[in-house]
């Protein structure tokens, strides 16, 4: 599976990363090297092997639905780069 | 006084030979004196430390509720949230981030009366094996200032090695506690996944990340574990299991203990000094009464390839939260997507971008089965190997890192060569098992070498017991770095 510069541009767009042409060239080479290394996984036969997503055998963990103290609105907004009238402010979406 | 261990200095504090205020002032003065050489800290919190020391002195005077950490200066990796104290993750993205709450492990240290001297340097978002990807500075190895301290928890390791702190907290996603502990000549433990709460740890790869201690000796490691281990309702992946008294468990005999040696961890071409030191350590354990058993972990050599699919996939998802809206850097853009893309381009360094793109690619439509699903199946095979090996043995012993500390810039040009630093450590994160690194030798150029001990799930006690027996019989933990250049 050869990786092209077009793939890297597409992935950067999906990941919301602005990249320069120079970076695209560099990342294409480096990611291709890493993917080549990863190819060795195909040497292992994994037919009928269940994927393991998590080291612990935990399922959903529930707690009683009881209201407890939480952070104040002021604390939650305190790190916001742009805040107005108790809201996070963002540039236009549409 | 600063070269002492926690158990030694804690006795001095209790006996009123020294106050926490005096100890903390001396520690801060020395920390600041050697910091231009070591560069272990992103943020030094002198004022807060002196306040905590005054509180600790009240507690020591009252004689009530004193723990082995009361009044003792420690350091905290800069990806653990500290209320009101900036927590950068060594990234430009979080340069001004001041968390509104403490991580559970930080809260537990504070409740035990520990004094925090500051936040330590690391690879950006914990992605790296040399601490060179930090946006802020390059931490030096105290044994040779021309060499890296390892990573990602390089600042936490160097600060303890250089006596800037008595112990520290780090995190380990693929080896980030054990490898720097080995390269800096100290003890580092990655507990079992779920043993220590991850609440307030800035996430890299959530199914692999685990917080653990760095310390000068095994007893201090046990003391730190007694403080931070245990169930936390705020982390739904934290295990609700009893926690033993690690200090008491550690002192039991290792006679009859079965130690497995996996041949896959001693490949041809392994650094000779590392190979000799680790084999000597195994012989020493045998002479102390342990039984040495050969085991095989045939899928483990594929651990690194599986890791470099799984960790970037999880990272690409976790790091989507840095969008310039709720915290962190914000660049301006005409519309929201442009704002996201410019913010993330300016806030992340190149290693972080590389891993986000790798993960995004591996999870993208058409590639998911070939990469992510395949890696999860290999993860199962690796875990099966360990389960089988642990039917025959109690502990597995291997090298921690494939070589002693390397030089700055030696591996930064080729990401894959840096990733190979984690070859002996990653499979322990993939399986969630506990792993400990303990000093076991010194190279000809006077750089430390580490022995990795791997345990059964939630059996940190046996690891500490094995390490303690080894430490009692060897001189390595008594050696101190000289903060020299070569």
């Amino acid at each position: 599976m050869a990786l092209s510069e077009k793939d890297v541009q597409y992935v950067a767009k999906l990941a919301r990363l602005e990249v320069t042409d120079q970076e695209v060239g560099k990342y294409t080479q480096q990611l291709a090297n890493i993917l080549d290394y990863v190819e060795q996984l195909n040497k292992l036969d994994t037919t009928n092997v269940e994927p393991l997503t998590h080291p612990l055998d935990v399922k959903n963990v529930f707690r009683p639905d009881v209201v407890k103290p939480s952070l104040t609105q002021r604390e939650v907004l305190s790190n916001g780069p742009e805040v107005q009238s108790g809201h996070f402010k963002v540039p236009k979406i549409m | 006084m600063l070269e002492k261990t926690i158990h030694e200095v804690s006795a001095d504090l209790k006996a009123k030979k020294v106050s926490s205020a005096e100890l903390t002032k001396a520690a801060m003065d020395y920390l600041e004196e050697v910091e231009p050489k070591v560069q272990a800290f992103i943020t030094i919190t002198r004022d807060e430390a002196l306040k905590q020391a005054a509180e600790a002195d009240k507690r020591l005077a009252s004689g009530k509720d004193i723990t082995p950490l009361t009044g003792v200066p420690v350091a905290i990796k800069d990806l653990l949230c500290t209320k009101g104290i900036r927590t950068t993750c060594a990234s430009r993205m979080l340069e001004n981030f001041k968390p509104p709450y403490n991580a559970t492990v930080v809260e537990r240290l504070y409740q035990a009366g520990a004094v925090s001297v500051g936040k330590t340097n690391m690879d950006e978002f914990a992605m790296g094996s040399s601490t060179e990807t930090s946006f802020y500075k390059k931490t030096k190895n105290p044994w040779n200032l021309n060499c890296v301290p390892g990573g990602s928890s390089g600042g936490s390791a160097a600060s303890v090695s250089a006596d800037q702190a008595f112990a520290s907290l780090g995190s380990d996603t693929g080896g980030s506690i054990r490898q720097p502990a080995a390269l800096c000549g100290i003890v580092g433990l990655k507990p079992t996944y779920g043993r220590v709460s991850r609440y307030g740890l800035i996430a890299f790869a959530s199914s692999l990340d685990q917080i653990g201690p760095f310390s000068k000796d095994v007893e201090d490691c046990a003391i730190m574990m007694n403080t931070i281990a245990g169930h936390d309702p705020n982390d739904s992946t934290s295990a609700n299991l009893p926690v033993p008294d690690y200090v008491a468990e550690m002192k039991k005999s290792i006679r009859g203990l079965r130690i497995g040696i996996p041949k896959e961890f001693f490949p041809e071409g392994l650094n000779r000094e590392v190979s000799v030191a680790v084999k000597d350590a195994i012989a020493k354990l045998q002479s102390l009464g342990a039984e040495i058993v050969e085991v095989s972990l045939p899928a483990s050599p594929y651990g690194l390839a599986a890791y470099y699919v799984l960790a970037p996939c999880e990272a690409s998802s976790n790091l989507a939260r840095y969008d310039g809206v709720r915290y962190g850097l914000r660049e301006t853009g005409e519309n929201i997507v442009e704002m996201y893309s410019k913010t993330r381009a300016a806030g992340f360094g190149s290693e972080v971008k590389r891993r986000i793109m790798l993960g995004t690619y591996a999870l993208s439509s058409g590639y998911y089965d070939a990469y992510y699903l395949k890696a999860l199946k290999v993860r199962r095979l690796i875990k099966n190997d360990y389960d089988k090996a642990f039917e025959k043995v109690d502990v597995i012993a291997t090298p921690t890192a494939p070589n002693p500390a390397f030089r700055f810039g030696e591996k930064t040009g080729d990401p894959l060569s840096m990733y190979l630093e984690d070859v002996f450590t990653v499979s322990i994160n993939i399986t969630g098992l506990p792993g400990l690194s303990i000093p076991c030798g010194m190279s000809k150029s006077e750089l430390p070498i580490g022995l990795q001990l791997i345990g059964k799930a939630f059996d940190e006690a046996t690891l500490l017991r094995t390490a303690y027996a080894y430490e009692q019989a060897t001189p390595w933990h008594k050696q101190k770095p000289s903060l020299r250049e070569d």
Side-chain angles (χ1 to χ4, degrees), chain B residues 108-382:
Chain B
R108 285 185 178 220
L109 284 182
Y110 289 176
Q111 277 169 12
V115 171
S116 168
V117 295
K119 305 296 293 287
T120 56
N121 195 28
M122 53 184 276
D123 280 297
E124 185 182 6
F125 283 99
M127 297 178 188
S129 307
S130 67
T131 312
E132 289 170 288
T133 72
S134 168
F135 173 69
Y136 299 96
K137 54 179 63 175
K138 292 202 185 348
T139 299
K140 314 297 190 291
N141 190 311
W143 291 88
N144 181 337
L145 303 173
N146 300 109
C147 290
V148 303
S152 69
S153 313
S156 289
S159 64
V160 173
S161 170
D163 292 330
Q164 291 178 300
F166 286 91
S168 64
L169 289 179
S171 67
D172 189 316
T173 306
S176 286
I177 291 173
R178 290 158 288 156
Q179 184 255 16
L183 271 48
C184 290
I186 57 173
V187 175
L189 172 65
K190 182 202 89 80
T192 312
Y193 185 88
R195 181 54 105 185
V196 175
S197 166
R198 291 181 297 114
Y199 180 71
L201 163 77
I202 297 178
F204 159 15
S206 305
S207 84
L208 305 163
D209 296 342
Q210 183 59 205
I211 299 165
F214 288 95
S215 60
K216 296 179 189 178
D217 71 2
V218 177
E219 182 162 354
D220 283 3
C221 182
I223 288 170
M224 290 289 280
M225 281 299 288
N226 277 353
T227 309
I228 63 171
H231 180 244
D232 174 15
N234 283 334
D235 174 1
S236 60
T237 63
S238 100
N240 200 347
L241 294 171
V243 179
D245 177 348
Y246 292 113
V247 175
E249 288 293 322
M250 162 194 96
K251 292 179 177 162
K252 294 182 180 166
S253 161
I254 64 160
R255 193 153 292 282
L257 192 83
R258 297 162 304 167
I259 300 181
I261 313 299
K263 57 179 180 295
E264 292 83 0
F265 284 69
F266 297 86
E268 257 181 67
L270 174 64
N271 177 295
R272 216 186 122 63
E273 290 181 303
V274 170
S275 170
V276 167
V278 170
K279 283 176 181 163
D280 284 352
I282 292 163
K284 175 61 82 179
L285 287 165
Q286 188 171 25
S287 77
L288 294 169
E291 183 192 335
I292 305 300
V293 182
E294 192 170 303
V295 294
S296 182
L297 302 166
S300 64
Y302 297 90
L304 196 69
Y307 177 84
Y308 276 97
V309 175
L310 299 175
C313 284
E314 293 191 26
S316 74
S317 169
N318 267 326
L319 272 64
R321 74 189 68 189
Y322 302 102
D323 57 5
V325 175
R326 288 150 303 158
Y327 36 71
L329 185 75
R330 151 94 60 107
E331 295 286 300
T332 52
E334 284 296 303
N335 55 56
I336 197 155
V337 173
E338 196 183 304
M339 184 279 279
Y340 291 156
S341 304
K342 285 185 185 296
T343 296
R344 290 163 63 80
F348 294 137
S350 60
E351 182 59 31
V352 175
K353 289 179 190 170
R354 191 152 43 236
R355 296 205 198 185
I356 288 174
M357 287 201 282
L358 185 59
T360 306
Y361 180 74
L363 288 172
S364 66
S365 175
Y367 297 104
Y368 179 91
D369 284 6
Y371 292 113
Y372 186 63
L373 196 64
K374 181 76 188 181
L376 288 177
K377 290 179 176 180
V378 172
R379 184 180 200 175
R380 170 81 63 189
L381 293 179
I382 294 170

Side-chain angles (χ1 to χ4, degrees), chain A residues 26 30 33, chain B residues 132 354 409-418:
Chain A
K26 187 182 75 174
Q30 291 174 338
N33 284 348
Chain B
E132 289 170 288
R354 191 152 43 236
E410 199 177 313
K411 295 178 194 281
T412 44
D414 175 9
L416 199 55
S417 74
M418 186 72 86

Side-chain angles (χ1 to χ4, degrees), chain A residues 1-4 7-20 23-24 26-63 68 71-72 74-83 87-94, chain B residues 83 96-101 193-194 206-207 236-237 239 299 301-302 304-306 308-309 314 324-330 333-342 344-345 348-351 353-354 356-358 360-361 364 367 370-381 383 413-416 419-420 429-432 458:
Chain A
M1 275 175 271
L3 189 78
S4 68
D7 292 329
V8 170
Q9 277 159 345
Y10 174 66
V11 165
K13 194 177 151 214
L14 285 180
R16 301 286 185 260
L17 283 169
E18 195 178 82
V19 282
T20 63
E23 282 177 306
V24 169
K26 187 182 75 174
Y27 288 134
T28 305
Q29 185 58 50
Q30 291 174 338
L31 296 180
N33 284 348
I34 298 165
L35 292 170
D36 272 352
Y37 179 79
V38 166
E39 284 298 317
Q40 63 175 279
L41 293 178
N42 293 321
K43 287 193 223 158
L44 282 178
D45 181 7
T46 52
T47 321
N48 300 324
V49 175
E50 274 293 297
L52 177 69
T53 49
H54 206 268
L56 279 186
D57 193 22
V58 282
K59 298 285 181 296
N60 292 335
V61 177
F62 295 103
R63 60 169 170 75
K68 284 192 288 188
L71 297 175
T72 62
R74 212 173 129 239
E75 287 170 313
V76 171
L77 292 170
S78 64
N79 280 290
E82 223 184 324
V83 167
H87 298 276
F88 294 113
K89 198 175 167 188
V90 295
K92 69 167 189 267
I93 291 175
M94 302 286 281
Chain B
K83 188 174 180 176
N96 300 306
F97 176 60
K98 285 189 178 169
Y101 63 92
Y193 185 88
S206 305
S207 84
S236 60
T237 63
Y302 297 90
L304 196 69
Y308 276 97
V309 175
E314 293 191 26
V325 175
R326 288 150 303 158
Y327 36 71
L329 185 75
R330 151 94 60 107
E334 284 296 303
N335 55 56
I336 197 155
V337 173
E338 196 183 304
M339 184 279 279
Y340 291 156
S341 304
K342 285 185 185 296
R344 290 163 63 80
F348 294 137
S350 60
E351 182 59 31
K353 289 179 190 170
R354 191 152 43 236
I356 288 174
M357 287 201 282
L358 185 59
T360 306
Y361 180 74
S364 66
Y367 297 104
Y371 292 113
Y372 186 63
L373 196 64
K374 181 76 188 181
L376 288 177
K377 290 179 176 180
V378 172
R379 184 180 200 175
R380 170 81 63 189
L381 293 179
K383 182 165 187 298
D414 175 9
L416 199 55
Y419 297 173
L420 286 165
N429 301 79
I430 283 176
T431 52
F458 300 104

